[in-house]
Amino acid sequence: MTDPTGRRVTANLSLTLDGRYNGPGGPSDFGAFAPYVTTEVARDHMTRIWEGATTALLGRLNAEGFMGYWPSVADDENADPRDRGYSKWLVDTEKVVLSTTLTQAPWERTRVVNAPATDIVTELKATGEGDILVNCSASIIKPLLSADLLDRLYLMIFPEIAGGGQRLFDDGLPATKWTLSHQHTGQLGEMAMVYDRVR
């Protein structure tokens, strides 16, 4: 089915070699990720994910974490220019936050929605232009994978085995085929990869 707007649904997430997006300590355990997130490859990859995106789709926890940290980076003259670029984009772009507990958005250019991710993405694809980026929110990426609604995956693979934590690719997902459209390996063994859904 071709969407009238041609909007792509993209998602970015970082994973360990054993497919975890957090460590065994729970949702805030990113110990295995820390050495790699500020590498040249990771920063270039971060720029790549947002350049074509006009809407950021976030879960509440990620939205709170991102908006608590990133807005100040835009004005930090000592910050890496790629970090500043991402920060400015995040502040200025349309944000849709999926939440069952927030009643109003505490950030500008943001609307809070209590609805299934699949419904929101279908609605967003019907209007507007530019990519819809699911920004690091596995709670949204998972149902979109299950419904085969993702068109592009931006993945950072870090050369660590976490040994525990939550996995992105659960059993029971529909069989799908993807093509590798970009790959870059860093000096620490981190890999930035872009996969496009073959339809």
Side-chain angles (χ1 to χ4, degrees):
M1 185 176 103
T2 305
D3 295 284
T5 62
R7 299 191 80 181
R8 288 186 306 187
V9 184
T10 70
N12 74 295
L13 203 62
S14 296
L15 302 172
T16 56
L17 280 180
D18 52 344
R20 319 281 183 170
Y21 58 87
N22 56 41
S28 59
D29 180 0
F30 297 111
F33 298 63
Y36 310 100
V37 294
T38 56
T39 65
E40 293 297 302
V41 168
R43 282 194 159 118
D44 287 346
H45 188 68
M46 183 169 66
T47 299
R48 196 175 297 114
I49 68 170
W50 66 260
E51 280 183 322
T54 55
T55 302
L57 187 55
L58 298 144
R60 178 185 62 83
L61 289 176
N62 267 24
E64 289 176 343
F66 284 14
M67 299 310 289
Y69 172 78
W70 281 107
S72 63
V73 176
D75 299 320
D76 182 356
E77 294 181 2
N78 296 315
D80 186 283
R82 292 162 293 187
D83 291 355
R84 294 182 71 182
Y86 172 77
S87 171
K88 186 173 184 342
W89 170 81
L90 185 63
V91 170
D92 291 345
T93 201
E94 172 195 28
K95 292 170 285 294
V96 179
V97 176
L98 271 59
S99 175
T100 58
T101 54
L102 284 177
T103 53
Q104 59 185 28
W107 315 286
E108 291 183 358
R109 288 174 283 286
T110 306
R111 66 183 170 110
V112 175
V113 183
N114 182 0
T118 52
D119 292 354
I120 298 307
V121 162
T122 301
E123 172 200 314
L124 288 170
K125 287 188 77 166
T127 59
E129 58 185 20
D131 291 350
I132 301 158
L133 171 64
V134 184
N135 205 356
C136 290
S137 296
S139 63
I140 301 173
I141 297 172
K142 286 185 172 192
L144 295 182
L145 278 171
S146 293
D148 193 18
L149 286 174
L150 285 179
D151 302 306
R152 170 170 279 190
L153 281 170
Y154 295 99
L155 298 177
M156 280 294 303
I157 308 297
F158 299 141
E160 307 241 352
I161 292 175
Q166 293 171 288
R167 293 183 188 274
L168 175 60
F169 301 108
D170 294 324
D171 288 346
L173 288 173
T176 53
K177 184 175 181 178
W178 300 74
T179 185
L180 181 65
S181 57
H182 179 87
Q183 178 184 345
H184 193 181
T185 303
Q187 294 182 344
L188 299 177
E190 76 280 17
M191 292 179 65
M193 295 184 291
V194 182
Y195 283 99
D196 286 314
R197 175 76 172 92
V198 177
R199 299 195 185 276

